[in-house]
Amino acid sequence: MKMINRFWKFMLLAIIIYTIIQLLITTEVFNLFYTNTLITIAINIILAVSLHLVIGITGQFSIGHAGFLAVGAYISAIVTMKLALPFPLALFAAGVIAAVAGLIVGIPTLRLRGDYLAIATLGFAEIIRIIFLNIDYVGGAAGMVVSRTTNWTISYICLLITLIVIINFTNSRHGRACVAIRENEIAADAMGINTTYYKVVAFVIGSFFAGIAGGLYAHNFYIIQPASFGFLKSFDILIFVVLGGLGSLSGAVLSAILLTIVSTFLQDYAETRMIIYSLILILVMLYRPQGLMGTREITDFFTSRKKNALKGGENL
Amino acid sequence: MEWIQQFFNGISLGSIYALIALGYTMVYGIIKLINFAHGDVFMIGAFTGFFAISVLNLSFLPALLLAMIVCAILGVTIERIAYKRLRNSTRIAALITAIGVSLLIEYIFIYFRGAQPEAYPEVLAKETYNIFGAKISSQSVLILCVTVILMILLQFIVHRSKIGKAMRAVAYDQDAAKLMGINVDNTISITFAIGSALAGAAGVIFGIYYTKIDPLMGIIPGLKAFIAAVLGGIGIIPGAMVGGFLLGIVETVVSASGFSLWRDAAAFIILILILIFRPSGIFGKNAKEKV
Amino acid sequence: GDGDTIKIGANLELSGDVASYGQSIAEGVDLAVEEINANGGIDGKTIELIKSDNKSDPSEAASVATKLTSEEQVLAIIGSATSGNTLAQAQIANDTKTILLTPSGTSPNVTVTENGDVNDYVFRTSYIDPFQGTVAANFATGDLGIKTAAIYADSASDYAKGLADAFKETFEAAGGTIVAEESYVAKDTDFRSTLTRIQSKNPEFVFIPGYYAEVGLIIKQAREMGIEVPFMGADGWDSPTLVELAGADTLNNTFITNHYSAEDPDTTIQDFVKKFKEKYNGESPDAFNALGYDSIYFLADAIERAGSFEPEKIKDALADTKDLLLVTGLITVDENHNPVKSATILEYQDGVQVFKSKINP
Amino acid sequence: MSTNPLLHIQNVGIRFGGLRAVANFTLKLNQGELIGLIGPNGAGKTTVFNLLTGVYAPTEGEIFFNGERINGLPPYKVTRKGISRTFQNIRLFNELSVLDNVKIAYHSLAKHSIFSSIFRFPKHFSGEKEMEEKSIEFLKIFHLDHVKEEKAKNLPYGQQRRLEIARALAAGPKLLLLDEPAAGMNPQETKELMELISFIRNEFNLTILLIEHDMKLVMGVCEKISVLDHGQLIAHGTPEEIRKHPKVIEAYLGEEVGEEHA
Amino acid sequence: MLKVDEIDVYYDNIHALKGVSLEVLAGEIVTLIGANGAGKSTLLKTLSGLLRPKTGRIDYFGQSITNKPVQSIVQSGISHVPEGRRVFANMTVAENLDLGAYIRKDKKAIEEDKQAVYALFPRLLERKKQLAGTLSGGEQQMLAIGRALMAKPKLLLLDEPSMGLAPLLVKQIFQIIQEINQNGTTILLVEQNANMALSIANRAYVIETGNVVASGTAKELQSSERIKQAYLGGM
Ligand SMILES: Nc1ncnc2c1ncn2[C@@H]1O[C@H](COP(=O)(O)OP(=O)(O)OP(=O)(O)O)[C@@H](O)[C@H]1O
Ligand SMILES: Nc1ncnc2c1ncn2[C@@H]1O[C@H](COP(=O)(O)OP(=O)(O)OP(=O)(O)O)[C@@H](O)[C@H]1O
Ligand SMILES: [Mg+2]
Ligand SMILES: [Mg+2]
């Protein structure tokens, strides 16, 4: 079958990418710094793609994604550091608890629209952050020291799983239901789609992967602090999604890669980095308000199905 | 007595939020843009006032006016350069641009003068009044009056004056507004000018009241003012004021009960609760789309 | 390092929430590096300083540290300003055998891990939080004869928490009572509601561990509300801005513990103040400036004593430092990599810091 | 009238603030009927549709569909019970392809779960395949299959109207509600639409309730017509009866309506 | 009065009007008919300045208004009632009418004209405090026409004014259009309801995919077999 075939092509490509990079790491062509940048890129892609499902696909304007990142980070850190359980389990727990948080946040807020939804999600993210700030068990403001266990392989595996799940979800009747909500909620409702249900589902899946990203994040940066998960972090994730092109999964991936590299590169330009960063944002938005990819996908450039309008990655 | 005092504390805090929220809500009401740079215009207003008072030796009113003018010009410039092109693109693209503009103002400012805070000179004599055993400073009273007067003035402009009607027409449908003979660009510029001038005034008043200003000072009050605006029903002018007061009082009550660390969380919880029961804010009409 | 230079990284908060501390440290570091290089460097090698911004964010700090250690292969990293951002790099420093020297990270667990092990490669220039808290409590009970006190601490910083804990312990041990314990959050501007609460408890003394930006406002608002009792704080208060914010009169009857005082007639200090003012348009150096400056000399001294550029030897030399005279005092490093040095108590009189006493550990 | 109507609207009403948009409205639709709903602008016709489909909950009265009480159900549940509609102002999924627009309508008829889609179980593939095939069949009926990859918003107006009907049909309704399907069409296009309505009605064994201001269409296809004015039913009967009904002439048709289109 | 000379209009790369020329004389009712998507609305939008022609020229009373901004075109006496009504939903009926008179300064005359509009559409008077967005389609159409009249136009551009209206109202609207015309306003009318449009118009143009394919007096077109077949329902 064509679809199955595509899946194996995707896997083959994934394995090739992995092998090349792993080779570069073992031969020490990539030093620790490059490897770290790769891990950060993987984490950021997971974040971008998980938010893409909520904003780009379902059209729900959530700007509090860092809250779920925080939940994942803290839960995974508790599992490994306090309970001394294995890291993969911690990652899973991070995803699950973040998904539960997504459910708790999503049910009341997703009935709100537009900017009201935006500010409510931002509010929830801040509440989550303040909760961690006030729990002494996780170190309060000073944060928690976490030993570094994230490595390139595990980040890559998580990234692949995220991509597969989200692409598969998007390219199914369920993903179409979400897109329908984005396009016209009243009509979607009239077509028999339980709009609340799908908004919450998209939100929960998005939160789950943000939680996974949080687990990787916590075990990559030695320390987690509530201050790292403020609304500016949420904006960073939002920026990946919008800059890449709302509704384009490959756009989100691409901009997560680009912006992470730009940001790492700008470390050397301490005083001017924020000026450059903000100028990039403004200029891209002014001259390409639809984002780098618009609503197109990378695969559109290779296939003849140019007019396929349902976005979110090709079928796997 | 302690609680009367706390009530006054809450009102004073709330009127600052309200003052910033007025401009926020106004700009939002017309072009539906969450102008994240509003807080930074507020910051520039505060610094302009500071400069006017300490370097140009101006007194309060001229300094206030100068700050308002500078901010009005800044606001219009931002709109013309950064937002105008985006009028027909998605709201979210405009939002990202606004975030970009906000960061740009902050860091250009820091680049040229550093991030250190500045202490505001005292230009207004300060007295303390005793009401029911609670103390309230003349400055608090001043802020309260300024806020209420500006609110009434704005409400009048938007709902009664011709330019106000034009603003609301532009807000709803720019092409149809053009067909009425309205100059859309000018109307939006005027909106930004008024909104930004208000932010500038708020900046100066904030500086005088709290005495500390710094290049990142706009972020938190900007966010709080935005919450206040949403609480009241974003785009609705009296709503911004009521939202500001409500927020101020809630925060004060939470701090006064010894939970100061939960203060910001409480602000958001109130916001979310209100939105759950009134999805368009306290005064917001539930603008359900007619099917 | 190779050739004629040694690479030293600076991993500082040049933007973000606590940018002003990072920037202050950077100024001090720049001045010291300039001086040392002008005087022929360390053992004939000039210092190549690589300054990076960590955006006041621990994950960025870790990323910067990785870059400095693997890309630039620096010998040592100066930074960061806060304990959290320093902690984020501790494991990297140990793993890559890079000296990590924080000028101002005062939390005890920067150098000592939770289970009591000392981080081999991590050092600091400042003393630790409990020391200042203890000094303040002793001063309050002893010199001022205080019985009841309130604590109003910055909750968002481990620094303030450490000070508050130490103060409380010592104060209560000396027979005093803490009548109110309140916190605020950094970047707050309105403290009136909590101050009203404190006022209703009638303390004789208020201990305010925190940073000048908020403290200035707290003092001003407290005095306006009629709280006239003595206030005390620590090095976080030290900035000319505090005086401007609170007002010179308002600040009377307040005290701080500090690393040093720019008003101190001590020649080492005045020398530094003069050089600093020359380089930075007459700006008066604050404690972060001084600590940044000292950090470079602290490191340079160790390298010279080690007589080698190998990190293993330098870390031993740092740990062995004894009676090294720096701007912020005479230091001796203890077994936890913490410098043992004196604290200065200063009183504000009409906006000027007046030397009150010097307390040795 | 038969004893067991498909749709039974009983004394339904709704208020918007002070305005009683629909009041005491009663209507029965038997299986297979095609009934027109006409009335002056603002009479409350669209509001009746909104009440039927759950967009608004009636403040008074009850609605039975297939013997089940449906008032107060959310729209998606109403659709699943077998009522679907088109909108007065077209509401397509603009950025999506014509094919996807129809596929979405199939959503609630498909069975494969989120899990089977995410993990690509065989059920997913069979489910998706079935949706695609059926959707294409539908597009063929409506002569839209040649534009199936086109974005909905790029279609000419007439095709958009047809797509909306196709989409409504794909949701598998027993009762179809059409809100001014001929609005904005010229007489020639309206004629074609009339043929289409008759065709789908027979083909899918539908019951249809139709709002339209084009009297030629209404009189041409409807067996019975209900007339609303100020939210109230003022007449119900065959086209001939309605055409001559004095109240309808006064409120809605005006004089000499017959001649105009003749 | 109005002379359109060979204009070409594009939406990005869609060529919507291809060298369209037409003329409207003072005092006339001219109607444009054509299938969906023929370019009728595009033409009206170009006349009122919402769109710019790429080539060609538009003269109004002998003066070019080709690239003038919308507000000055409105000021010179051209009012456009757009397709789909476009009333200001968040404002009351009365406020909508006020906005129609935005370019005017004569307060008293404005008030009189408002009363005249209410007399024309009594339903609007009933609903004058209601928000326009909650009006029914027909009510909104009345409001849109009323609003355009408030500018006291010399030339009124009407885009499908009968769309979605009850037969009685359609008749009323057509009567009102004639009344407005008799009071001295020239009218350019776009209609799908070609029969009725032709019955009140002096002259007509037929547009097909961006080209004018036929023109003449209303009578001529009404009796043309081809036009009957394509647009009048083949009677
Ligand atoms: N959400 C609402 N809020 C307030 N009033 C409303 C609302 N929806 C409809 N109305 C009012 O209810 C009345 C009936 O409106 P409705 O849309 O049902 O009319 P209609 O019969 O469909 O008219 P048309 O033929 O013009 O479409 C109108 O007067 C309208 O203004
Ligand atoms: N905003 C737009 N962007 C791109 N193309 C457009 C736009 N508006 C109209 N078009 C295209 O221009 C052509 C002419 O459209 P126009 O709206 O003028 O037709 P019309 O004759 O008014 O049709 P209708 O009877 O449907 O109102 C059509 O092919 C349409 O698809
Ligand atoms: Mg209707
Ligand atoms: Mg048209």
Side-chain angles (χ1 to χ4, degrees), chain C residues 72-184:
Chain C
E72 306 286 355
Q73 313 229 324
V74 297
L75 181 68
I77 297 174
I78 304 291
S80 298
T82 65
S83 302
N85 294 339
T86 310
L87 267 171
Q89 316 163 49
Q91 197 184 341
I92 302 174
N94 286 338
D95 290 351
T96 58
K97 301 201 157 93
T98 310
I99 308 287
L100 176 63
L101 176 59
T102 166
S104 55
T106 44
S107 162
N109 59 355
V110 167
T111 49
V112 185
T113 65
E114 260 175 42
N115 33 24
D117 304 330
V118 175
N119 280 324
D120 278 350
Y121 284 86
V122 185
F123 295 86
R124 75 173 102 228
T125 315
S126 60
Y127 40 56
I128 54 173
D129 300 330
F131 175 59
Q132 280 196 91
T134 309
V135 168
N138 287 334
F139 175 74
T141 49
D143 295 32
L144 301 180
I146 301 290
K147 295 269 179 310
T148 59
I151 299 174
Y152 192 18
D154 177 353
S155 72
S157 86
D158 33 344
Y159 156 76
K161 275 188 172 168
L163 280 171
D165 290 347
F167 178 85
K168 187 179 175 193
E169 198 178 311
T170 318
F171 189 76
E172 285 178 342
T177 322
I178 303 289
V179 293
E181 270 183 276
E182 299 288 341
S183 328
Y184 63 89

Side-chain angles (χ1 to χ4, degrees), chain A residues 111 115-116 119 123 246 285-286, chain B residues 28 82 91 97 226 268 276:
Chain A
R111 26 178 263 130
D115 299 324
Y116 291 98
I119 188 76
L246 268 189
M285 283 296 112
L286 286 185
Chain B
Y28 182 92
R91 303 258 306 275
T97 311
F226 181 53
F268 280 109
I276 285 172

Side-chain angles (χ1 to χ4, degrees), chain A residues 239-272:
Chain A
I239 287 166
F240 293 144
V241 178
V242 180
L243 220 58
L246 268 189
S248 166
L249 179 127
S250 37
V253 173
L254 210 70
S255 72
I257 296 173
L258 281 178
L259 284 182
T260 313
I261 292 173
V262 166
S263 171
T264 316
F265 170 74
L266 285 178
Q267 264 165 13
D268 296 339
Y269 300 87
E271 281 92 357
T272 45

